[in-house]
C-alpha cells in the first residue's frame, strides 16, 4: 500500500464509476480514468507498454497516435461501463486499443 491512493480519493479524482456516470451525468469520468492509476506497479507497467508504442508513433505519426490513444481509451471506458459496474482506473483501455 506504499503510495497507493485509497478508493475515496480515486473516486473524488474521477475514476470510472458507472453509477455516477449514469445517474449524475458526470461525463468527465469518461476521460479522467486514463490518467489515474491504482499504485506504482500499475503506473510502471503502463509506462513500459507505452514505451513499446514508440514504433507505432514513428510509423503513423504523433497526432494520429494521440488520436488513436484517446479514442481507444474513451471507447474502452464506454464499453466496460456497459458490461460491468466495477470501479476502475488506468490507461489499459487506451493501451489495448
Amino acid at each position: 500500500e506504499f503510495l497507493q491512493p485509497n478508493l475515496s480519493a480515486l473516486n473524488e479524482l474521477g475514476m470510472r464509476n458507472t453509477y455516477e456516470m449514469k445517474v449524475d451525468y458526470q461525463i468527465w469520468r469518461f476521460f479522467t480514468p486514463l490518467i489515474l492509476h491504482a499504485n506504482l506497479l500499475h503506473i510502471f507497467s503502463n509506462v513500459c507498454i507505452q514505451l513499446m508504442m514508440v514504433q507505432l508513433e514513428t510509423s503513423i505519426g504523433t497526432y494520429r497516435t494521440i488520436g488513436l490513444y484517446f479514442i481507444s481509451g474513451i471507447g474502452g471506458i464506454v464499453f466496460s461501463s456497459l458490461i460491468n459496474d466495477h470501479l476502475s482506473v488506468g490507461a489499459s483501455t487506451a493501451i489495448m486499443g
Side-chain angles (χ1 to χ4, degrees):
E1 294 185 16
F2 178 68
L3 295 178
Q4 181 174 339
N6 61 17
L7 196 61
S8 63
L10 287 173
N11 193 33
E12 287 295 318
L13 291 171
M15 65 188 267
R16 186 181 70 84
N17 185 338
T18 308
Y19 176 79
E20 292 191 16
M21 293 163 82
K22 290 178 184 177
V23 174
D24 293 335
Y25 304 108
Q26 297 180 358
I27 59 171
W28 63 86
R29 292 186 184 268
F30 288 105
F31 309 102
T32 53
L34 296 175
I35 58 172
L36 294 174
H37 291 83
N39 53 36
L40 288 176
L41 180 62
H42 190 209
I43 293 171
F44 179 73
S45 62
N46 280 345
V47 167
C48 288
I49 294 172
Q50 287 175 353
L51 289 174
M52 291 183 219
M53 291 173 47
V54 171
Q55 291 178 342
L56 174 69
E57 183 179 358
T58 57
S59 65
I60 67 170
T62 302
Y63 294 116
R64 287 183 180 170
T65 304
I66 292 170
L68 179 65
Y69 184 83
F70 281 107
I71 289 171
S72 298
I74 294 166
I77 290 170
V78 169
F79 183 71
S80 65
S81 295
L82 294 173
I83 291 178
N84 64 39
D85 289 336
H86 298 295
L87 305 172
S88 66
V89 294
S92 299
T93 57
I95 291 170
M96 293 302 149

